[in-house]
Structures are given as C-alpha cells and as structure tokens.
Amino acid sequence: MDTRTADNADCALLSSGDCLPLARVLIVDDHPFFLFGITAILEQEQLAREVATVASVADAVDDLRSRPETSLVLLDLTLQGEAGLSLFSELEQIGLPVSVVVISSREDETSVRAARSAGAVGFLPKSAGRRSLLRMVQRVSNGQLFYPSLPFPSLSPEHLTPRQLEVLTLLADGLPNKRICQALDLTEHTVKTHLKAIFTHLGVHNRTECVAEARALGLL
C-alpha cells in the first residue's frame, strides 16, 4: 500500500467515527517525548478539539473535577512513584464517569487483564503505530471497547491461582512466611513454592518488588 492509499484509508476510518472530534482528551503520562508525539497526532488528525496533559493521578483528578466535559483519558499504566490504575478508584469515589484507555510500554497479558478489570475501555501498547491510535479513538468514541489481540507467547506463565492470590495478599499485609502458613493452613514448603511461582509470574526478585509490581498491575 502506497502512502496516498494509506492516507485515504485513515481518512475513511476517521469519517466513520460519528462522535469525532472528541470534545477533550486528557493524557496522563510522565514521559515528555511520548506526550509530545501523541498530542501531535491527536491534533493533526483532528481527533479532539482540545488535548491536555498531566503527569500524575492527583493532577488528573484535579483536572477532571474542573473539566468534567472531558471525553477520553489516556492513562499510562506506570507513573513515577504511583500506579496509574489507582485513577479508577479516585474516579469512582468522586462519581465522575469518563472513558479511560490504558496506554503502556508493557504488552503482557497480565497488564491487559489488569486494565480491563479496573474498568478501562481499551488498552493501547506504546509500541502501537499511528493507525492503531486512530482505530482506538474511532472505536472508543462510538462506545466500543478496544482490546486488540496481542502476541502473547503460547507458553507464557499461568495466571495466578486463587491460592497464590491469597498468599500475595497476606504478603502485601506484611506477614512473614510462618504467619502465612498459619493463616492459610499450609506448610512452609508450600508457601515458599507459591511465592516462587508468584515472583516468576511477576518477574521480580524479592518481596518488596513483588508487592510494588502487584499493586502497579492492579492485583492488590
């Protein structure tokens, strides 16, 4: 497909979005280069009448309180020092309904599932191209979900089991292995086996990293 054909296809894609341009898009991300790039695309393609950016969940909440007409939030999964998914609980507390699409450099199945469980209407990897962004905005603007299939390895680690989630929760509460054994009526060997499986699944090496990663992914 040559450049003109691709451009025509994108124009046709955008023209099919009855709700475009969006009134306002808020991008929550702390990477200036990415913010510049995605803002430029949204403005060049006239996907939104206004594009605003903030770098933290607290700033996003303040912005949305003052600008409730915001149509769409593009939320980075991992912000500096905080979990992006915490925005969902904040929005629920203040009773502000707004569509949120998670954008992330992570493309693993756990991250996608965490975003969907939190209430995101879509998931867009940061590695996605311009056309994927256009498709996402078009679909979400029409009230559809946007969860494109990602190339997960066929032999990816299994999801955490209900028992492993129980161990993870007690670990996050600060309980040592012996207390976890008592609480769940398990042997110490079994608890260590579950912890090893959890560490492997989350790609971490110690208890502190494990809890931080689990919270970032919305597992806690």
Side-chain angles (χ1 to χ4, degrees), residues 49-62:
R49 296 189 183 93
E50 180 185 349
V51 180
T53 65
V54 295
S56 70
V57 168
D59 288 342
V61 172
D62 288 342

Side-chain angles (χ1 to χ4, degrees), residues 106-133:
R106 305 180 184 202
E107 301 182 21
D108 58 281
E109 188 174 4
T110 301
S111 298
V112 177
R113 286 179 177 275
R116 182 168 244 170
S117 297
V121 298
F123 185 97
L124 185 70
K126 286 189 175 182
S127 62
R130 186 188 194 99
R131 185 167 176 79
S132 293
L133 175 63

Side-chain angles (χ1 to χ4, degrees), residues 54-73:
V54 295
S56 70
V57 168
D59 288 342
V61 172
D62 288 342
D63 179 275
L64 292 169
R65 282 181 185 274
S66 62
R67 300 297 301 273
E69 74 275 15
T70 301
S71 310
L72 176 65
V73 175

